[in-house]
Amino acid sequence: MGVGTHRTPGTGSDKIKKRVPRNSQALFNLGARDIHTLFHDGRLALGDEYGNGFNSPAEEWLPQGLDNLLAAQALFPLVAQFEMAGNLAENDVIGAVHDRIDAAWPILAARVADIPAYAEHFIREKSHIDSPGDIRISDIANALGAFMNATWQRIDTPFDLYLRGDKTALNNTELRGMRLFYGEANCASCHSGMWLSDQSFHALGLPSFGPGRTRRHNLLARDLGRLAETDDIKDAYAFRTPMLRNVALTAPYGHNGAWATLEDIIRHHLDPLTMREAWTPEDAKLPLVPWLQSVDFIIQQDRIEMARQAARVPAAGPALSDAEIQSLVAFMHALTDERDDPLSLVPASVPSGLPVDRVPQQLSAVSP
Ligand code: HEC
């Protein structure tokens, strides 16, 4: 229940039974044309292995006619048990997903088509839709993708203004941070290009906790990251390099949210082993859920798994002074474009009549 840091684990029959294993990702700029890979483990990417334009968990059962990567992405929360589909026997969507994922597409499309205000919008906007029965799941996914692209584009940060020629857009500390980022601190070897991500995978050895992404034949509460997609041992514990615009607005950090501040995640990059050993559960600033506490940190007691993970922790980076680290933090803040807070777009009501969580406060940057 609730939005952002005001989310609660619920009470009574609404109590959460499990945490999701990964930190949800920021949505900024994901609709950019040169983004080809989404999710921490890259399980959705442009590609034509299955004849529909995307390499995804739905394989050849993704619908035809999806406009772009964000449209394809929009389908997955609808059919994920712990996101929107719910538990078996609770509704017909999850039952259908269990048979084969594409059995859910017409059920979901009919649910939207049955709501007159949505059907009218589709008929008005799309020349190939003349009646509610013409609405396909691809139309719905394309609408969601277009909305996310339009709403979460952010490219007017002080850094961008600087690159466009406004030499006053960055102060001296931010400039020092930028020079370190592209120079001695070597950040741009992974956070490269226009979107500050190589869209590739690297193991940083973040501290492990939470339910993990268990695998069919191995129920250890760990997250193998990219390996779960490729089954290649060199991808063990590797995660996609995040894009960094608006990163100051999206704490906590890393695929599991192990670090609550920019300073800590940067220090982790620079000396992963030391930071990993110094980490305590309080660093994650997890909302307290008393009935899950016994499983939240259980993996930390598994000495064999901890040794396996430790063996994959990368070597320390350059030794930077505290002032240099602070300038990197300042540079991260210079990647913020706070225009048009997306939360201000949350409508008071929606055509389905389902309740809308009220937004308690605006997004705001944690102080540097
Ligand atoms: C070896 C490639 C690599 C280098 C070099 C690198 N990063 Fe990262 N960075 C990553 C990856 C991969 C993640 C995500 C790790 C995870 O989730 O397990 C990440 C995460 C981050 C995050 C958290 C973003 C979020 O949304 O959670 C920040 C901030 C960050 N890096 C900044 C930096 C800075 C500053 C530097 C230079 C000091 C740097 N990175 C150097 C690969 C790299």
Side-chain angles (χ1 to χ4, degrees), residues 12-350:
S13 62
D14 285 338
K15 272 194 341 192
I16 61 165
K17 297 180 185 66
K18 195 176 172 222
R19 294 189 195 270
V20 288
R22 290 184 182 157
N23 182 12
S24 48
Q25 298 169 92
L27 302 179
F28 300 108
N29 299 324
L30 293 182
R33 217 161 295 150
D34 42 354
I35 301 297
H36 54 69
T37 302
L38 295 184
F39 289 112
H40 293 296
D41 54 15
R43 66 185 179 277
L44 174 61
L46 296 178
D48 221 16
E49 222 164 286
Y50 301 107
N52 52 29
F54 304 94
N55 294 337
S56 83
E59 303 182 344
E60 62 263 50
W61 296 295
L62 208 61
Q64 295 289 335
L66 296 169
D67 286 346
N68 50 45
L69 206 54
L70 271 182
Q73 191 283 331
L75 292 171
F76 291 97
L78 305 177
V79 291
Q81 180 180 4
F82 290 106
E83 292 176 37
M84 297 180 75
N87 294 313
L88 265 181
E90 269 177 11
N91 66 68
D92 50 352
V93 174
I94 188 71
V97 172
H98 228 71
D99 287 341
R100 208 176 73 189
I101 196 166
D102 59 339
W105 308 143
I107 299 174
L108 288 161
R111 281 193 178 188
V112 173
D114 279 347
I115 298 167
Y118 283 133
E120 283 158 25
H121 270 294
F122 278 107
I123 293 167
R124 199 166 55 233
E125 297 292 328
K126 296 286 168 193
S127 57
H128 66 278
I129 300 176
D130 295 321
S131 71
D134 295 338
I135 299 172
R136 298 277 165 272
I137 189 72
S138 50
D139 299 310
I140 295 161
N142 287 338
L144 286 166
F147 167 73
M148 285 189 278
N149 181 31
T151 314
W152 273 277
Q153 272 179 28
R154 290 295 181 280
I155 48 167
D156 292 326
T157 71
F159 171 63
D160 293 293
L161 299 183
Y162 179 85
L163 293 182
R164 286 180 218 141
D166 176 358
K167 296 301 169 204
T168 63
L170 298 180
N171 67 29
N172 284 339
T173 316
E174 292 160 349
L175 276 175
R176 261 199 307 280
M178 183 183 78
R179 292 199 185 103
L180 282 165
F181 189 92
Y182 287 99
E184 196 191 336
N186 205 28
C187 313
S189 63
C190 301
H191 296 279
S192 56
M194 168 70 188
W195 303 110
L196 306 176
S197 168
D198 56 4
Q199 299 189 62
S200 187
F201 306 88
H202 309 273
L204 293 193
L206 288 190
S208 181
F209 63 95
R213 298 241 335 161
T214 51
R215 309 191 79 200
R216 193 169 298 173
H217 302 295
N218 189 326
L219 298 179
L220 271 189
R222 64 177 172 181
D223 192 337
L224 288 162
R226 182 66 178 158
L227 178 144
E229 288 303 300
T230 61
D231 279 322
D232 186 338
I233 191 73
K234 81 172 170 24
D235 292 328
Y237 312 108
F239 295 88
R240 191 188 54 142
T241 309
M243 296 154 74
L244 294 178
R245 277 187 191 68
N246 277 358
V247 72
L249 305 178
T250 62
Y253 299 112
H255 67 275
N256 58 2
W259 296 110
T261 66
L262 283 168
E263 177 174 341
D264 283 345
I265 184 81
I266 291 174
R267 286 187 186 275
H268 181 101
H269 279 74
L270 296 171
D271 193 354
L273 203 54
T274 307
M275 287 298 282
R276 187 181 157 88
E277 280 166 8
W279 183 86
T280 68
E282 286 79 61
D283 287 309
K285 302 269 183 296
L286 271 186
L288 189 69
V289 182
W291 61 93
L292 293 179
Q293 245 171 334
S294 62
V295 289
D296 276 343
F297 304 103
I298 203 160
I299 195 66
Q300 296 268 334
Q301 285 144 34
D302 184 329
R303 293 170 67 172
I304 297 173
E305 174 60 14
M306 286 298 107
R308 247 184 241 122
Q309 293 190 11
R312 299 260 162 189
V313 174
L320 300 186
S321 69
D322 287 349
E324 287 172 320
I325 290 172
Q326 288 314 321
S327 62
L328 279 171
V329 172
F331 177 56
M332 295 294 102
H333 279 265
L335 299 172
T336 307
D337 175 349
E338 276 185 276
R339 174 179 51 99
D340 301 338
D341 182 344
L343 294 184
S344 69
L345 298 179
V346 177
S349 64
V350 289

